[in-house]
Amino acid sequence: MGARIYLDWNATAPVRPAVVEAVRLALGETGNASSVHGEGRAARNRLDQARRQVAAMVHCLPSEVVFMSGGTEANNAILSLASWRNVLVSAIEHDSVRLVRPDAIVVPVTSQGIVDLAWLANALAKVEGPTLVSVMLANNETGVIQPIGEIASLVHAARACLHSDAVQAAGRMAIDCRAIGCDYLSLSSHKIGGPQGVGALIVRGTAPFAVRQVGGGQERGRRGGTENVAGVVGFGVAAGLATEGLAMMTTVARLRDRFEAGCLSKLPAAHVWGAAANRLPNTSCIAMPGVAAETQVMALDLAGIAVSAGAACSSGRVRSSHVLAAMGAAPPNESIRVSLGEATTEAEIDRLIAVWCGLANRRRGNVTQAVAA
Ligand code: PLP
């Protein structure tokens, strides 16, 4: 078998070599960013540099960046604020958003995976008091991009606040917090080629915020605990490179389109989720009717290709997708997610098409034999 083919960049992206080097150098330095001596000030400078790099990626102020342990913590931090009387979340949010507030109002999406704007406007007209709406910028399973500017207008007209989980959008599309008009934005380092276990919540302007983790007053009193300086340095370097790498996304989109066209021509019964919507250039969610996603993922893995069935689950098991169920999939567990990156090649995509369509043919053969028997 040749080299393995990694097509699960939405689960985690390969760490960029420049990030590895920056983290290695930072780990070699001693200094607590809260100390007043020279070593401490040097650590603070490294943090501030990373803060500027992350802020530049999403066009916010460096002072609005609160470093955290990842996208999960960022999402939890804002959804769990006790001051929200009402929380509205879209039906396709990541579990780190949708499971935080069991009392949240769930906003439905269309069959293309776009938030139902009329439904949202209607729901907002009925709520009173401090309200948070959380709608992701782009979905992790389908890549579908939300009309976030329109959503922000609706939310602000209702005097509510908007949070957007931009964990998958970062590095794959340009993000401008000011243009979007969101109050909060979540980011994760490991989806853009930085280290795992680092992320940020952007808290814009005077948007309400309450500290969940108290301690030494780090992050301007917004998150206590000695900062993971080396991890944050890696995140900053990854953010800078991800912004530069946006130019590569046209090529990535061409490969994604090649994959979908190749599969649909060989297997017309296949279905691409959100195909008519605006999508991230690197993500494809495709259904092979009659074949469980788990079977597809395992067959591809045996052939040396790593893809996933929807979101990565900590138990390592394949779950039925709440995202596809919300888009009307029945059953919602016959689709795989293929997610590409800057290093993906045409040869890798062609091999994937051959293996995936080969599996479909074998399954069809089995079904025909069973009917004939
Ligand atoms: N939000 C989305 C959309 C994600 O895809 C993920 C990770 O898969 C997360 C949040 C969680 O981020 P992290 O792994 O940094 O906790």
Side-chain angles (χ1 to χ4, degrees):
M1 191 167 67
R4 283 191 61 87
I5 298 174
Y6 187 74
L7 294 167
D8 202 10
W9 289 60
N10 287 12
T12 200
V15 180
R16 298 166 190 269
V19 169
V20 174
E21 184 56 10
V23 171
R24 193 184 66 78
L25 289 175
L27 283 171
E29 303 283 345
T30 301
N32 183 322
S34 301
S35 302
V36 291
H37 48 58
E39 287 83 349
R41 289 199 306 277
R44 159 110 3 242
N45 286 342
R46 288 193 286 281
L47 270 185
D48 287 346
Q49 159 79 355
R51 205 179 297 284
R52 285 192 293 274
Q53 288 165 319
V54 171
M57 178 174 71
V58 296
H59 297 278
C60 69
L61 297 174
S63 58
E64 295 172 329
V65 177
V66 186
F67 286 121
M68 298 197 168
S69 66
T72 299
E73 185 187 343
N75 287 341
N76 271 254
I78 199 59
L79 268 287
S80 65
L81 282 198
S83 52
W84 304 126
R85 191 189 297 175
N86 316 288
V87 173
L88 287 82
V89 302
S90 89
I92 54 163
E93 295 302 310
H94 188 264
D95 282 356
S96 57
V97 165
R98 72 187 190 110
L99 300 183
V100 182
R101 286 279 299 248
D103 61 333
I105 298 169
V106 178
V107 183
V109 297
T110 66
S111 60
Q112 288 299 317
I114 308 279
V115 163
D116 185 332
L117 298 182
W119 199 103
L120 174 62
N122 199 26
L124 282 169
K126 293 183 191 142
V127 295
E128 275 174 19
T131 299
L132 178 74
V133 177
S134 184
V135 176
M136 64 203 329
L137 195 45
N139 184 263
N140 45 310
E141 294 185 32
T142 61
V144 169
I145 299 169
Q146 297 299 324
I148 206 76
E150 279 179 72
I151 292 171
S153 303
L154 284 178
V155 170
H156 290 147
R159 294 169 172 273
C161 290
L162 176 64
H163 164 251
S164 191
D165 176 344
V167 163
Q168 294 292 349
R172 291 160 193 154
M173 61 183 273
I175 302 176
D176 186 334
C177 275
R178 292 164 311 192
I180 292 172
C182 61
D183 301 287
Y184 312 96
L185 193 90
S186 297
L187 296 169
S188 175
S189 152
H190 73 102
K191 310 288 184 179
I192 60 170
Q196 297 177 347
V198 189
L201 178 69
I202 311 298
V203 182
R204 295 199 56 234
T206 54
F209 188 66
V211 190
R212 276 192 348 143
Q213 189 166 304
V214 290
Q218 287 87 351
E219 295 299 288
R220 293 171 173 246
R222 292 174 295 189
R223 182 187 187 261
T226 301
E227 296 92 341
N228 170 9
V229 179
V232 165
V233 163
F235 184 16
V237 171
L241 293 172
T243 307
E244 286 171 23
L246 283 177
M248 289 284 297
M249 286 299 135
T250 323
T251 311
V252 171
R254 202 175 45 72
L255 290 175
R256 191 268 318 267
D257 293 346
R258 181 184 180 91
F259 162 67
E260 292 178 354
C263 290
L264 290 170
S265 70
K266 290 194 167 73
L267 183 66
H271 177 75
V272 175
W273 294 101
N278 192 15
R279 281 184 297 156
L280 291 178
N282 78 318
T283 309
S284 180
C285 186
I286 191 162
M288 184 188 288
V291 183
E294 197 158 7
T295 307
Q296 299 177 49
V297 170
M298 280 173 357
L300 289 168
D301 189 35
L302 283 175
I305 305 174
V307 302
S308 74
C313 171
S314 58
S315 68
R317 288 198 351 261
V318 173
R319 289 175 301 175
S320 179
S321 163
H322 71 274
V323 173
L324 300 185
M327 291 167 71
N333 60 347
E334 295 180 341
S335 304
I336 56 164
R337 174 185 72 186
V338 175
S339 50
L340 291 62
E342 293 158 29
T344 306
T345 65
E346 210 169 271
E348 290 178 334
I349 291 300
D350 290 348
R351 169 99 182 115
L352 171 64
I353 298 171
V355 174
W356 194 72
C357 293
L359 170 68
N361 283 339
R362 282 202 305 282
R363 299 294 294 210
R364 235 191 344 235
N366 285 348
V367 171
T368 319
Q369 277 168 23
V371 170

